[in-house]
Amino acid sequence: MNIQFDSSDLRSKRPFYIEPTNIVNVNNAIQRVSDHASAMNKRIHYYSRLTTPADKALAGFTTGMCVIILMGLLTLYCCYRVVKSRTMISSLDTTMWEYPDVCRYYFGSFGQWSSLLFSLVSLIGAMIVYWVLMSNFLFNTGKFIFNFIHHINDTDTVLSTNNSNPVICPSAGSGGQPDNSSMIFYANDTEIQLFEKWWNKSKTVPFYLVGLLLPLLNFKSPSFFSKFNILGTVSVLYLIFLVTLKAVRLGFHLEFHWFIPTEFFVPEIRFQFPQLTGVLTLAFFIHNCIITLLKNNKNQENNVRDLCIAYLLVTLTYLYIGVLVFASFPSPPLSKDCIEQNFLDNFPSSDTLSFIARIFLLFQMMTVYPLLGYLARVQLLGHVFGDVYPSIFHVLVLNLIIVGAGVIMACFYPNIGGIIRYSGAACGLAFVFIYPSLIYIISLYHEERLTWPKLIFHVFIIILGLANLIVQFFM
């Protein structure tokens, strides 16, 4: 049953109407309303509590693909400029230099500390996103187990497709945040209510992760966690398999409307599409450590080739998963606006394949998260105190700040798209747009090889970076 409900409509506040066919015999003193009517009543009240749209989809199908390709090319070129930045300094031996050293050479201490700041923004932003996602995966994993044990079907209380491959709309297409509950409650179901009280996505689960991850952040060496890096590749391959299988089963559901939205489809072009550039800036962000990664390459002459291959594979992965998820989403009966930022949320917690994906991603993120924390510790404490582990007190304070930021965002602003685009635009402003272009302009000027076309092109890149940052906060 496809229920379209507008919570902003005053008529939605009128009393719920139960059809006479759903009224139980009037002489029945135990139950005046049938189970079906009671369930429908709770569904309507559930939808009526949903807020009005907060974050609409950032771009249409066609626009999204074009923006992904263009941002991939732009960030690849800027990353190429970072790789070549050391070779532009011929007067010194830069073999062991990192990118902050290059920034210090051209911009002094300001370049060094500002590059450190923006690098920390990218790392901490990624760690906050990880915390929100881990809270989501842990919550849905626990709910899957609880529902399986108690034989609960959580598709009864949300808009969903009624077939063998159910797809749900947790926000009922409004973009609002649904209640923690996704199950029908009855007054005497104290066990379910107790579970929902202590297993809440935004009130309890983010705090449970503290006990799991805070001790791991205090390890002196991250070598133990680096052994699990293969899980990243396994997780990506499994997601590709999952998306492909779901697309085959669901089929493609596409209609093209360029500017005007319809009941079930979004327009191909939305004026909010520049917001997607902030997300993609962080999605393609590797600029702060690309020199470190390529430094161990056996054949240094292949660095540019390997960089291009890496960006090509990443871009194709984003396009493949994005296109299949969007195209196979069943519209109708559900609107494309129902697609969640974390597309796994569009599958019920009882979906076994999605449960496996969440387990993979949860375990992978729990091993990568300490590595990100270690990088943040090395960059901050190493620069400030000259020692990456000055004392357990210093490390613990830093980790508490990072973990606290993750918990706060998971509780009050679990919008992974918003977090990614804000942090991506901020760190990308320096590492992707400004520093690579400025360093190239300055080096060409010193070599007397700077031409007007090159100057205009790289100044344009800097302007794009500034516009990218402004758009994220004011659009």
Side-chain angles (χ1 to χ4, degrees), residues 142-294:
K143 193 168 71 170
F144 172 88
I145 297 172
F146 183 87
N147 291 354
F148 179 80
I149 294 174
H150 293 83
H151 307 287
I152 295 174
N153 184 3
D154 59 355
T155 61
D156 289 339
T157 54
V158 291
L159 289 178
S160 63
T161 56
N162 298 321
N163 52 38
S164 58
N165 297 287
V167 177
I168 65 174
C169 183
S171 303
S174 69
Q177 294 294 330
D179 291 352
N180 178 65
S181 170
S182 62
M183 296 172 282
I184 297 178
F185 286 135
Y186 299 95
N188 58 350
D189 285 345
T190 56
E191 187 175 2
I192 296 178
Q193 293 178 357
L194 187 64
F195 172 79
E196 289 292 330
K197 176 182 178 181
W198 293 104
W199 197 256
N200 189 292
K201 185 186 294 186
S202 60
K203 295 180 181 179
T204 60
V205 173
F207 292 94
Y208 297 154
L209 286 172
V210 176
L212 293 173
L213 294 174
L214 183 59
L216 301 181
L217 287 174
N218 297 315
F219 281 22
K220 284 189 175 182
S221 173
S223 58
F224 173 76
F225 304 104
S226 62
K227 298 177 182 178
F228 297 95
N229 283 344
I230 188 63
L231 288 176
T233 304
V234 175
S235 299
V236 171
L237 293 177
Y238 182 79
L239 282 179
I240 293 175
F241 162 77
L242 173 64
V243 169
T244 305
L245 182 62
K246 292 291 185 180
V248 171
R249 291 179 176 178
L250 294 171
F252 281 3
H253 307 267
L254 287 173
E255 286 185 12
F256 296 93
H257 305 273
W258 289 102
F259 298 102
I260 301 175
T262 63
E263 182 180 3
F264 299 108
F265 295 92
V266 298
E268 296 303 300
I269 298 177
R270 279 183 167 173
F271 293 108
Q272 297 97 332
F273 79 88
Q275 295 179 2
L276 182 59
T277 60
V279 176
L280 293 173
T281 301
L282 192 61
F284 287 112
F285 186 76
I286 195 67
H287 302 63
N288 61 334
C289 57
I290 187 61
I291 292 179
T292 306
L293 292 176
L294 294 178

Side-chain angles (χ1 to χ4, degrees), residues 5-234:
F5 210 75
D6 185 5
S7 61
S8 62
D9 189 349
L10 291 176
R11 291 177 298 177
S12 67
K13 305 303 181 183
R14 62 191 178 189
F16 172 70
Y17 171 71
I18 302 175
E19 296 181 2
T21 55
N22 288 326
I23 299 291
V24 179
N25 191 326
V26 71
N27 296 322
N28 189 340
I30 298 177
Q31 187 182 33
R32 277 281 282 136
V33 181
S34 68
D35 291 336
H36 175 70
S38 176
M40 288 301 301
N41 184 20
K42 290 175 174 61
R43 291 180 74 176
I44 294 297
H45 284 294
Y46 174 83
Y47 300 140
S48 67
R49 289 195 300 269
L50 294 175
T51 60
T52 54
D55 289 313
K56 302 292 283 184
L58 300 184
F61 182 68
T62 305
T63 310
M65 289 192 295
C66 294
V67 172
I68 289 175
I69 294 173
L70 291 176
M71 284 298 297
L73 292 173
L74 178 60
T75 51
L76 168 60
Y77 174 75
C78 294
C79 197
Y80 166 76
R81 292 265 58 96
V82 172
V83 172
K84 290 295 184 180
S85 61
R86 292 187 306 166
T87 62
M88 305 293 289
I89 305 173
S90 57
S91 58
L92 297 173
D93 181 15
T94 60
T95 306
M96 302 303 297
W97 280 23
E98 303 289 346
Y99 196 58
D101 298 319
V102 178
C103 294
R104 180 179 57 189
Y105 174 83
Y106 283 99
F107 309 114
S109 60
F110 171 79
Q112 179 184 7
W113 288 103
S114 60
S115 63
L116 171 64
L117 173 63
F118 287 110
S119 180
L120 287 174
V121 168
S122 67
L123 286 172
I124 296 176
M127 294 181 74
I128 290 175
V129 171
Y130 267 43
W131 200 276
V132 175
L133 288 174
M134 287 187 294
S135 300
N136 181 300
F137 296 148
L138 182 59
F139 169 78
N140 283 287
T141 300
K143 193 168 71 170
F144 172 88
I145 297 172
F146 183 87
N147 291 354
F148 179 80
I149 294 174
H150 293 83
H151 307 287
I152 295 174
N153 184 3
D154 59 355
T155 61
D156 289 339
T157 54
V158 291
L159 289 178
S160 63
T161 56
N162 298 321
N163 52 38
S164 58
N165 297 287
V167 177
I168 65 174
C169 183
S171 303
S174 69
Q177 294 294 330
D179 291 352
N180 178 65
S181 170
S182 62
M183 296 172 282
I184 297 178
F185 286 135
Y186 299 95
N188 58 350
D189 285 345
T190 56
E191 187 175 2
I192 296 178
Q193 293 178 357
L194 187 64
F195 172 79
E196 289 292 330
K197 176 182 178 181
W198 293 104
W199 197 256
N200 189 292
K201 185 186 294 186
S202 60
K203 295 180 181 179
T204 60
V205 173
F207 292 94
Y208 297 154
L209 286 172
V210 176
L212 293 173
L213 294 174
L214 183 59
L216 301 181
L217 287 174
N218 297 315
F219 281 22
K220 284 189 175 182
S221 173
S223 58
F224 173 76
F225 304 104
S226 62
K227 298 177 182 178
F228 297 95
N229 283 344
I230 188 63
L231 288 176
T233 304
V234 175

Side-chain angles (χ1 to χ4, degrees), residues 165 234-250 320-321 324-325 328 342-345 347 351-358 360-361:
N165 297 287
V234 175
S235 299
V236 171
L237 293 177
Y238 182 79
L239 282 179
I240 293 175
F241 162 77
L242 173 64
V243 169
T244 305
L245 182 62
K246 292 291 185 180
V248 171
R249 291 179 176 178
L250 294 171
Y320 184 82
I321 293 180
L324 286 190
V325 169
S328 64
N342 175 8
F343 76 92
L344 291 177
D345 288 343
F347 301 111
D351 187 280
T352 304
L353 292 176
S354 301
F355 169 74
I356 296 174
R358 293 185 179 106
F360 264 123
L361 292 171

